């Protein structure tokens, strides 16, 4: 009686209930129809589950490049493009000519700024200071005391003055803005004092991530007049730079200038976008960038760069990756967290050459300590508990150069102790510290994958990326199965 009352009160139950006075033959037919309907429904469910699983496995692999500013994130992204997007890389390579020329010109103009500041400070004149003959050589620098600047230095300043206009024109054509919150990385390299002794801040150029400067210079303008104007600008820039080539080499190799930079603690060779040792090759009218030039070129970008890669070879063949280069300066790090959601892998770049340097944004903070703090924040995030994290101990080439130059790790990292001051021991020490942070702060146990890198070395980085590619893809597929 109770069952009948429940059926009567439930419309759906009344609809599904057997018809009254159903015969045995009718019941057999009804049950057969219902069984067939169930089988059809199960097949549809199975197909939907298979399609859902396929969508998960074919879903683009989401990879974040994280690390502090100047850690090598953009350079790593370029290496991905070079290794897996050859057609697009070749189409865009010529557009980097302007950036490389700008890097070169800004390096020279930075030296000229320092020279003008020094000469205005009342440097003592030298014998023959009024003689501006091209053949006059500057006096040898003194180990101590005031440096002496000759007429040759004044002449070089005058001859290189057109590079000011070239720099301005290149910045305008690229669409560059100036930032007031950072020191200029060329004028004030990592680990060096602020430019000069005045304590004034310099502005570093940048483009916003939405700026399509590469596309605008890769595609030919539709208006033939614009084509001719663009080509004329390119030729004029190349002509001026080529005309200044000998004077650029003269001022860069001048022993007094080298001593001036040394006394100010400025190591231009370790700054991003350094091309002063390539003047002979770049300062020519028919210069074409090489792959290594593009990888080494410096163009600061604000915002998030997104790049999609469709793999057509290797273990990831057929898969698509979305790689995000998220800004690493302190003011941009809050933008990281929205990208943590549904992230498959993080490549964290830690420049291990910076143990003796301080953040450009905050001179009180050691850059290595800042990398440790960032690494701790990333590996301890519960949002990333199931995310693969790969550590690139980057700029190993610069670390080796510093150690060979006599810089001692223990002078900046006391816990390094009396270990031998060489690359092998320094790398081992830094790697162990990152490993210890992971083990202590990771919400779940996870493998520690670290690679010693110099991402400006395209060939070595290509080998590293092939290993990273296979590991990320494997973790992505396993993660899709678990979801």
């Amino acid at each position: 009686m109770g069952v009948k009352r429940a059926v009567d009160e439930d419309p759906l139950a009344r609809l599904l209930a057997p018809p009254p006075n159903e015969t045995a033959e009718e019941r057999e037919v009804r049950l057969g129809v219902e069984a067939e309907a169930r089988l059809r429904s199960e097949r549809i469910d199975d197909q939907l589950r298979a399609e859902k699983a396929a969508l998960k496995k074919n879903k683009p692999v989401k990879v974040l490049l994280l690390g502090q500013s100047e850690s090598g994130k953009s350079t790593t992204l370029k290496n991905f493009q070079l290794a897996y997007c050859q057609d697009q890389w070749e189409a865009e390579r010529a557009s980097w000519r302007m950036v490389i020329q700008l890097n070169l010109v800004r390096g020279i103009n930075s030296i000229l700024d320092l020279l003008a500041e020094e000469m205005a400070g009342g440097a003592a004149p030298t014998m023959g200071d009024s003689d501006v003959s091209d053949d006059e050589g500057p006096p040898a620098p003194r180990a101590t005391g005031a440096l002496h600047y000759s007429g040759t230095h004044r002449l070089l300043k005058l001859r290189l003055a057109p590079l000011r206009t070239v720099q301005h024109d290149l910045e305008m054509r690229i669409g560059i803005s100036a930032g007031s919150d950072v020191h200029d990385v060329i004028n004030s390299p990592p680990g060096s004092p602020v430019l000069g002794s005045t304590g004034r801040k310099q502005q570093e150029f940048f483009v916003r991530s939405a700026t399509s400067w590469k596309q605008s210079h890769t595609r030919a303008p539709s208006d033939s007049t614009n084509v001719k104007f663009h080509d004329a600008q390119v030729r004029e820039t190349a002509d001026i730079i080529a005309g200044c080539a000998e004077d650029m080499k003269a001022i860069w190799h001048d022993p007094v200038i080298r001593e001036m930079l040394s006394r100010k603690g400025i190591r231009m060779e370790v700054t991003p976008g350094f091309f002063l040792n390539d003047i002979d090759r770049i300062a020519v009218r028919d210069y074409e960038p090489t792959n290594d030039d593009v990888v080494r070129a410096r163009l600061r970008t604000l915002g998030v760069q997104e790049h999609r890669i469709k793999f057509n070879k290797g273990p990831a063949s057929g898969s698509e990756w979305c790689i995000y280069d998220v800004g690493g300066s302190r003011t941009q790090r809050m933008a990281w967290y929205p990208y943590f959601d549904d992230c498959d892998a993080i490549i964290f770049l830690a420049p291990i050459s910076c143990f003796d340097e301080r953040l450009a944004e905050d001179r009180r903070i050691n850059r290595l300590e800042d990398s440790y703090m960032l690494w701790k924040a990333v590996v301890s995030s519960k949002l990333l508990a199931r995310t693969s994290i790969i550590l690139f101990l980057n700029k190993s080439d610069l670390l080796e150069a510093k150690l060979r130059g006599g810089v001692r790790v223990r002078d900046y990292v006391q816990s390094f102790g009396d270990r031998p001051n060489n690359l092998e021991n320094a790398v081992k020490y830094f790697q162990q510290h990152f490993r210890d942070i992971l083990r202590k702060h990771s919400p779940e146990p996870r493998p520690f994958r670290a690679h010693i890198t110099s991402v400006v070395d395209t060939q070595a980085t290509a080998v590293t990326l092939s290993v990273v590619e296979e590991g990320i893809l494997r973790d992505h597929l396993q993660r899709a199965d678990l979801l």
Side-chain angles (χ1 to χ4, degrees), residues 44-91:
I44 292 173
D45 289 342
D46 290 342
Q47 183 178 356
L48 289 174
R49 280 193 292 269
E51 290 176 354
K52 186 177 180 180
L55 284 174
K56 286 180 179 179
K57 292 192 176 183
N58 293 327
K59 179 184 175 184
V61 181
K62 183 178 177 181
V63 180
L64 302 187
L65 301 175
L66 298 182
Q68 63 185 208
S69 182
E70 302 303 328
S71 59
K73 299 185 300 298
S74 297
T75 307
T76 301
L77 177 57
K78 290 179 191 175
N79 275 283
F80 268 108
Q81 294 172 280
L82 174 60
Y84 302 108
C85 302
Q86 274 292 331
D87 291 343
Q88 183 179 357
W89 177 270
E90 293 296 335

Short mmCIF file of all heavy atoms in Angstrom, two decimals, residues 44-91:
data_model
loop_
_atom_site.label_atom_id
_atom_site.label_comp_id
_atom_site.label_asym_id
_atom_site.label_seq_id
_atom_site.Cartn_x
_atom_site.Cartn_y
_atom_site.Cartn_z
N ILE A 44 26.85 5.57 -25.29
CA ILE A 44 27.01 7.03 -25.38
C ILE A 44 27.87 7.55 -24.23
O ILE A 44 28.76 8.38 -24.43
CB ILE A 44 25.63 7.72 -25.38
CG1 ILE A 44 24.87 7.38 -26.67
CG2 ILE A 44 25.77 9.23 -25.23
CD1 ILE A 44 23.44 7.87 -26.69
N ASP A 45 27.62 7.02 -23.02
CA ASP A 45 28.43 7.44 -21.86
C ASP A 45 29.90 7.09 -22.06
O ASP A 45 30.80 7.88 -21.74
CB ASP A 45 27.90 6.79 -20.59
CG ASP A 45 26.57 7.37 -20.15
OD1 ASP A 45 26.22 8.47 -20.62
OD2 ASP A 45 25.87 6.70 -19.35
N ASP A 46 30.16 5.88 -22.56
CA ASP A 46 31.54 5.46 -22.82
C ASP A 46 32.20 6.38 -23.85
O ASP A 46 33.37 6.76 -23.70
CB ASP A 46 31.58 4.01 -23.33
CG ASP A 46 31.22 3.02 -22.23
OD1 ASP A 46 31.28 3.40 -21.05
OD2 ASP A 46 30.87 1.86 -22.58
N GLN A 47 31.47 6.74 -24.89
CA GLN A 47 32.02 7.62 -25.93
C GLN A 47 32.32 9.00 -25.36
O GLN A 47 33.37 9.59 -25.65
CB GLN A 47 31.04 7.73 -27.10
CG GLN A 47 31.57 8.58 -28.26
CD GLN A 47 30.59 8.63 -29.41
OE1 GLN A 47 29.55 7.97 -29.38
NE2 GLN A 47 30.91 9.42 -30.42
N LEU A 48 31.41 9.50 -24.53
CA LEU A 48 31.63 10.82 -23.92
C LEU A 48 32.85 10.80 -23.00
O LEU A 48 33.64 11.75 -22.99
CB LEU A 48 30.39 11.25 -23.13
CG LEU A 48 29.16 11.63 -23.97
CD1 LEU A 48 27.96 11.89 -23.06
CD2 LEU A 48 29.45 12.85 -24.83
N ARG A 49 32.99 9.70 -22.24
CA ARG A 49 34.16 9.59 -21.37
C ARG A 49 35.45 9.54 -22.18
O ARG A 49 36.45 10.17 -21.83
CB ARG A 49 34.05 8.36 -20.47
CG ARG A 49 33.14 8.55 -19.27
CD ARG A 49 33.31 7.42 -18.26
NE ARG A 49 32.79 6.16 -18.80
CZ ARG A 49 31.54 5.75 -18.63
NH1 ARG A 49 30.69 6.49 -17.92
NH2 ARG A 49 31.13 4.60 -19.14
N ALA A 50 35.44 8.80 -23.29
CA ALA A 50 36.62 8.70 -24.15
C ALA A 50 36.95 10.06 -24.76
O ALA A 50 38.13 10.46 -24.84
CB ALA A 50 36.40 7.66 -25.24
N GLU A 51 35.92 10.77 -25.21
CA GLU A 51 36.15 12.09 -25.81
C GLU A 51 36.68 13.07 -24.76
O GLU A 51 37.55 13.89 -25.05
CB GLU A 51 34.86 12.62 -26.42
CG GLU A 51 34.43 11.87 -27.68
CD GLU A 51 33.09 12.37 -28.22
OE1 GLU A 51 32.46 13.22 -27.54
OE2 GLU A 51 32.70 11.92 -29.31
N LYS A 52 36.15 12.97 -23.54
CA LYS A 52 36.61 13.84 -22.47
C LYS A 52 38.08 13.57 -22.14
O LYS A 52 38.89 14.49 -21.96
CB LYS A 52 35.75 13.63 -21.22
CG LYS A 52 36.08 14.60 -20.09
CD LYS A 52 35.13 14.37 -18.92
CE LYS A 52 35.46 15.34 -17.78
NZ LYS A 52 34.55 15.13 -16.61
N ALA A 53 38.44 12.28 -22.10
CA ALA A 53 39.84 11.91 -21.84
C ALA A 53 40.74 12.39 -22.96
O ALA A 53 41.86 12.87 -22.71
CB ALA A 53 39.96 10.41 -21.67
N ALA A 54 40.27 12.27 -24.21
CA ALA A 54 41.07 12.73 -25.34
C ALA A 54 41.28 14.23 -25.29
O ALA A 54 42.36 14.74 -25.59
CB ALA A 54 40.41 12.33 -26.66
N LEU A 55 40.20 14.95 -24.89
CA LEU A 55 40.32 16.40 -24.79
C LEU A 55 41.34 16.78 -23.73
O LEU A 55 42.13 17.71 -23.90
CB LEU A 55 38.96 17.02 -24.46
CG LEU A 55 37.95 17.12 -25.60
CD1 LEU A 55 36.61 17.61 -25.08
CD2 LEU A 55 38.48 18.06 -26.69
N LYS A 56 41.34 16.04 -22.62
CA LYS A 56 42.31 16.33 -21.56
C LYS A 56 43.74 16.09 -22.05
O LYS A 56 44.64 16.88 -21.79
CB LYS A 56 42.02 15.44 -20.34
CG LYS A 56 40.80 15.87 -19.55
CD LYS A 56 40.59 14.94 -18.36
CE LYS A 56 39.38 15.37 -17.54
NZ LYS A 56 39.14 14.46 -16.40
N LYS A 57 43.92 14.98 -22.78
CA LYS A 57 45.27 14.66 -23.24
C LYS A 57 45.71 15.57 -24.38
O LYS A 57 46.90 15.82 -24.56
CB LYS A 57 45.33 13.19 -23.66
CG LYS A 57 45.18 12.24 -22.49
CD LYS A 57 45.52 10.80 -22.86
CE LYS A 57 45.46 9.90 -21.65
NZ LYS A 57 45.87 8.51 -21.94
N ASN A 58 44.74 16.06 -25.17
CA ASN A 58 45.08 16.97 -26.26
C ASN A 58 45.03 18.43 -25.84
O ASN A 58 45.29 19.32 -26.65
CB ASN A 58 44.13 16.75 -27.44
CG ASN A 58 44.33 15.38 -28.07
OD1 ASN A 58 45.44 14.86 -28.10
ND2 ASN A 58 43.25 14.80 -28.58
N LYS A 59 44.69 18.68 -24.60
CA LYS A 59 44.64 20.04 -24.08
C LYS A 59 46.06 20.62 -24.11
O LYS A 59 47.03 19.93 -23.80
CB LYS A 59 44.12 20.00 -22.64
CG LYS A 59 44.06 21.35 -21.97
CD LYS A 59 43.62 21.15 -20.54
CE LYS A 59 43.65 22.46 -19.78
NZ LYS A 59 43.31 22.26 -18.35
N PRO A 60 46.20 21.88 -24.52
CA PRO A 60 47.55 22.47 -24.57
C PRO A 60 48.27 22.36 -23.23
O PRO A 60 47.67 22.50 -22.17
CB PRO A 60 47.26 23.94 -24.93
CG PRO A 60 45.96 23.91 -25.65
CD PRO A 60 45.16 22.81 -25.00
N VAL A 61 49.53 22.07 -23.29
CA VAL A 61 50.37 22.01 -22.09
C VAL A 61 50.69 23.45 -21.68
O VAL A 61 51.21 24.23 -22.46
CB VAL A 61 51.67 21.23 -22.37
CG1 VAL A 61 52.52 21.16 -21.12
CG2 VAL A 61 51.36 19.84 -22.89
N LYS A 62 50.37 23.78 -20.44
CA LYS A 62 50.58 25.14 -19.94
C LYS A 62 51.85 25.21 -19.12
O LYS A 62 51.98 24.53 -18.09
CB LYS A 62 49.38 25.56 -19.09
CG LYS A 62 49.45 26.99 -18.56
CD LYS A 62 48.19 27.33 -17.77
CE LYS A 62 48.26 28.72 -17.17
NZ LYS A 62 47.04 29.05 -16.38
N VAL A 63 52.81 26.00 -19.59
CA VAL A 63 54.12 26.11 -18.94
C VAL A 63 54.37 27.57 -18.58
O VAL A 63 54.20 28.47 -19.42
CB VAL A 63 55.24 25.61 -19.87
CG1 VAL A 63 56.60 25.73 -19.19
CG2 VAL A 63 54.99 24.16 -20.29
N LEU A 64 54.78 27.80 -17.33
CA LEU A 64 55.14 29.15 -16.90
C LEU A 64 56.64 29.26 -16.75
O LEU A 64 57.30 28.34 -16.25
CB LEU A 64 54.50 29.47 -15.55
CG LEU A 64 52.98 29.42 -15.41
CD1 LEU A 64 52.56 29.96 -14.04
CD2 LEU A 64 52.31 30.20 -16.51
N LEU A 65 57.19 30.38 -17.20
CA LEU A 65 58.59 30.72 -16.96
C LEU A 65 58.62 31.75 -15.83
O LEU A 65 58.12 32.86 -15.98
CB LEU A 65 59.23 31.30 -18.22
CG LEU A 65 59.23 30.41 -19.46
CD1 LEU A 65 59.80 31.15 -20.66
CD2 LEU A 65 60.03 29.13 -19.21
N LEU A 66 59.18 31.35 -14.70
CA LEU A 66 59.21 32.22 -13.53
C LEU A 66 60.63 32.47 -13.07
O LEU A 66 61.53 31.67 -13.32
CB LEU A 66 58.40 31.61 -12.38
CG LEU A 66 56.90 31.37 -12.61
CD1 LEU A 66 56.26 30.81 -11.34
CD2 LEU A 66 56.19 32.63 -13.06
N GLY A 67 60.81 33.56 -12.35
CA GLY A 67 62.12 33.94 -11.84
C GLY A 67 62.18 35.45 -11.74
O GLY A 67 61.34 36.17 -12.28
N GLN A 68 63.18 35.94 -11.03
CA GLN A 68 63.32 37.38 -10.86
C GLN A 68 63.68 38.04 -12.19
O GLN A 68 64.02 37.36 -13.17
CB GLN A 68 64.39 37.69 -9.80
CG GLN A 68 65.76 37.21 -10.19
CD GLN A 68 66.81 37.40 -9.11
OE1 GLN A 68 67.97 37.55 -9.40
NE2 GLN A 68 66.43 37.37 -7.83
N SER A 69 63.60 39.35 -12.22
CA SER A 69 63.98 40.10 -13.41
C SER A 69 65.44 39.81 -13.76
O SER A 69 66.29 39.67 -12.87
CB SER A 69 63.79 41.60 -13.15
OG SER A 69 64.10 42.36 -14.29
N GLU A 70 65.73 39.67 -15.04
CA GLU A 70 67.08 39.38 -15.53
C GLU A 70 67.55 37.97 -15.19
O GLU A 70 68.76 37.72 -15.11
CB GLU A 70 68.11 40.40 -14.99
CG GLU A 70 67.81 41.84 -15.34
CD GLU A 70 67.69 42.06 -16.83
OE1 GLU A 70 68.36 41.37 -17.60
OE2 GLU A 70 66.90 42.92 -17.22
N SER A 71 66.62 37.05 -15.00
CA SER A 71 67.02 35.67 -14.69
C SER A 71 67.20 34.82 -15.94
O SER A 71 67.79 33.74 -15.87
CB SER A 71 66.00 35.01 -13.76
OG SER A 71 64.71 34.99 -14.37
N GLY A 72 66.67 35.28 -17.09
CA GLY A 72 66.82 34.54 -18.34
C GLY A 72 65.53 33.96 -18.88
O GLY A 72 65.55 33.11 -19.76
N LYS A 73 64.37 34.44 -18.39
CA LYS A 73 63.08 33.90 -18.83
C LYS A 73 62.84 34.17 -20.31
O LYS A 73 62.48 33.27 -21.07
CB LYS A 73 61.95 34.50 -17.99
CG LYS A 73 62.04 34.20 -16.51
CD LYS A 73 60.84 34.72 -15.74
CE LYS A 73 60.69 36.22 -15.86
NZ LYS A 73 61.83 36.97 -15.29
N SER A 74 63.00 35.42 -20.73
CA SER A 74 62.76 35.77 -22.13
C SER A 74 63.73 35.05 -23.05
O SER A 74 63.38 34.65 -24.16
CB SER A 74 62.85 37.29 -22.33
OG SER A 74 61.84 37.96 -21.59
N THR A 75 64.95 34.88 -22.60
CA THR A 75 65.95 34.17 -23.40
C THR A 75 65.57 32.70 -23.53
O THR A 75 65.75 32.09 -24.60
CB THR A 75 67.34 34.30 -22.77
OG1 THR A 75 67.63 35.69 -22.56
CG2 THR A 75 68.41 33.72 -23.69
N THR A 76 65.03 32.10 -22.47
CA THR A 76 64.57 30.71 -22.54
C THR A 76 63.41 30.59 -23.51
O THR A 76 63.34 29.62 -24.30
CB THR A 76 64.15 30.23 -21.14
OG1 THR A 76 65.27 30.33 -20.25
CG2 THR A 76 63.66 28.79 -21.18
N LEU A 77 62.49 31.54 -23.49
CA LEU A 77 61.38 31.53 -24.45
C LEU A 77 61.90 31.61 -25.88
O LEU A 77 61.41 30.90 -26.77
CB LEU A 77 60.44 32.70 -24.16
CG LEU A 77 59.25 32.87 -25.12
CD1 LEU A 77 58.41 31.60 -25.16
CD2 LEU A 77 58.40 34.07 -24.71
N LYS A 78 62.91 32.43 -26.11
CA LYS A 78 63.51 32.51 -27.45
C LYS A 78 64.10 31.16 -27.86
O LYS A 78 64.01 30.76 -29.02
CB LYS A 78 64.60 33.58 -27.49
CG LYS A 78 64.11 35.01 -27.39
CD LYS A 78 65.31 35.95 -27.41
CE LYS A 78 64.95 37.37 -27.06
NZ LYS A 78 66.14 38.24 -26.98
N ASN A 79 64.69 30.46 -26.92
CA ASN A 79 65.26 29.15 -27.23
C ASN A 79 64.18 28.14 -27.61
O ASN A 79 64.38 27.32 -28.50
CB ASN A 79 66.07 28.63 -26.04
CG ASN A 79 67.50 29.14 -26.03
OD1 ASN A 79 68.35 28.65 -26.78
ND2 ASN A 79 67.77 30.13 -25.20
N PHE A 80 63.03 28.21 -26.94
CA PHE A 80 61.90 27.36 -27.34
C PHE A 80 61.48 27.69 -28.77
O PHE A 80 61.23 26.78 -29.58
CB PHE A 80 60.71 27.58 -26.39
CG PHE A 80 60.67 26.63 -25.22
CD1 PHE A 80 60.96 27.08 -23.94
CD2 PHE A 80 60.33 25.30 -25.40
CE1 PHE A 80 60.91 26.22 -22.85
CE2 PHE A 80 60.28 24.43 -24.32
CZ PHE A 80 60.57 24.89 -23.04
N GLN A 81 61.37 28.98 -29.08
CA GLN A 81 60.97 29.39 -30.43
C GLN A 81 61.99 28.93 -31.46
O GLN A 81 61.62 28.45 -32.55
CB GLN A 81 60.81 30.91 -30.48
CG GLN A 81 59.68 31.44 -29.63
CD GLN A 81 59.69 32.96 -29.57
OE1 GLN A 81 60.44 33.57 -28.84
NE2 GLN A 81 58.85 33.58 -30.38
N LEU A 82 63.26 29.10 -31.15
CA LEU A 82 64.31 28.70 -32.08
C LEU A 82 64.30 27.20 -32.33
O LEU A 82 64.49 26.74 -33.46
CB LEU A 82 65.68 29.14 -31.52
CG LEU A 82 66.92 28.70 -32.30
CD1 LEU A 82 66.91 29.24 -33.71
CD2 LEU A 82 68.19 29.15 -31.57
N ALA A 83 64.06 26.43 -31.27
CA ALA A 83 64.12 24.97 -31.40
C ALA A 83 62.88 24.40 -32.07
O ALA A 83 62.97 23.40 -32.81
CB ALA A 83 64.30 24.34 -30.02
N TYR A 84 61.70 25.02 -31.87
CA TYR A 84 60.46 24.36 -32.29
C TYR A 84 59.57 25.19 -33.21
O TYR A 84 58.53 24.70 -33.65
CB TYR A 84 59.65 23.97 -31.04
CG TYR A 84 60.41 23.06 -30.11
CD1 TYR A 84 60.88 23.52 -28.88
CD2 TYR A 84 60.68 21.75 -30.46
CE1 TYR A 84 61.60 22.68 -28.02
CE2 TYR A 84 61.38 20.91 -29.61
CZ TYR A 84 61.84 21.38 -28.39
OH TYR A 84 62.55 20.56 -27.56
N CYS A 85 59.92 26.44 -33.48
CA CYS A 85 59.11 27.30 -34.36
C CYS A 85 60.00 27.95 -35.41
O CYS A 85 60.08 29.19 -35.50
CB CYS A 85 58.38 28.37 -33.56
SG CYS A 85 57.29 27.74 -32.29
N GLN A 86 60.69 27.14 -36.18
CA GLN A 86 61.69 27.66 -37.10
C GLN A 86 61.11 28.64 -38.12
O GLN A 86 61.73 29.67 -38.42
CB GLN A 86 62.37 26.50 -37.84
CG GLN A 86 63.55 25.89 -37.10
CD GLN A 86 64.74 26.83 -37.02
OE1 GLN A 86 64.95 27.67 -37.87
NE2 GLN A 86 65.53 26.69 -35.96
N ASP A 87 59.94 28.34 -38.67
CA ASP A 87 59.36 29.22 -39.70
C ASP A 87 59.09 30.61 -39.14
O ASP A 87 59.46 31.63 -39.76
CB ASP A 87 58.08 28.62 -40.26
CG ASP A 87 58.33 27.37 -41.09
OD1 ASP A 87 59.50 27.16 -41.48
OD2 ASP A 87 57.38 26.60 -41.34
N GLN A 88 58.45 30.66 -37.98
CA GLN A 88 58.16 31.96 -37.38
C GLN A 88 59.44 32.66 -36.95
O GLN A 88 59.57 33.88 -37.08
CB GLN A 88 57.23 31.78 -36.17
CG GLN A 88 56.81 33.09 -35.53
CD GLN A 88 55.88 32.89 -34.35
OE1 GLN A 88 55.50 31.77 -34.05
NE2 GLN A 88 55.51 33.96 -33.69
N TRP A 89 60.39 31.89 -36.44
CA TRP A 89 61.67 32.45 -36.01
C TRP A 89 62.36 33.14 -37.20
O TRP A 89 62.84 34.27 -37.07
CB TRP A 89 62.55 31.36 -35.43
CG TRP A 89 63.92 31.82 -35.02
CD1 TRP A 89 65.05 31.85 -35.79
CD2 TRP A 89 64.31 32.32 -33.74
NE1 TRP A 89 66.11 32.33 -35.08
CE2 TRP A 89 65.69 32.63 -33.81
CE3 TRP A 89 63.63 32.54 -32.55
CZ2 TRP A 89 66.39 33.16 -32.73
CZ3 TRP A 89 64.33 33.06 -31.46
CH2 TRP A 89 65.69 33.35 -31.56
N GLU A 90 62.42 32.47 -38.32
CA GLU A 90 63.07 33.04 -39.49
C GLU A 90 62.34 34.29 -39.97
O GLU A 90 62.96 35.26 -40.41
CB GLU A 90 63.13 32.01 -40.62
CG GLU A 90 64.04 30.83 -40.34
CD GLU A 90 65.50 31.21 -40.22
OE1 GLU A 90 65.89 32.25 -40.78
OE2 GLU A 90 66.24 30.48 -39.53
N ALA A 91 60.99 34.27 -39.88
CA ALA A 91 60.21 35.42 -40.34
C ALA A 91 60.45 36.65 -39.46
O ALA A 91 60.40 37.79 -39.96
CB ALA A 91 58.73 35.07 -40.35
#
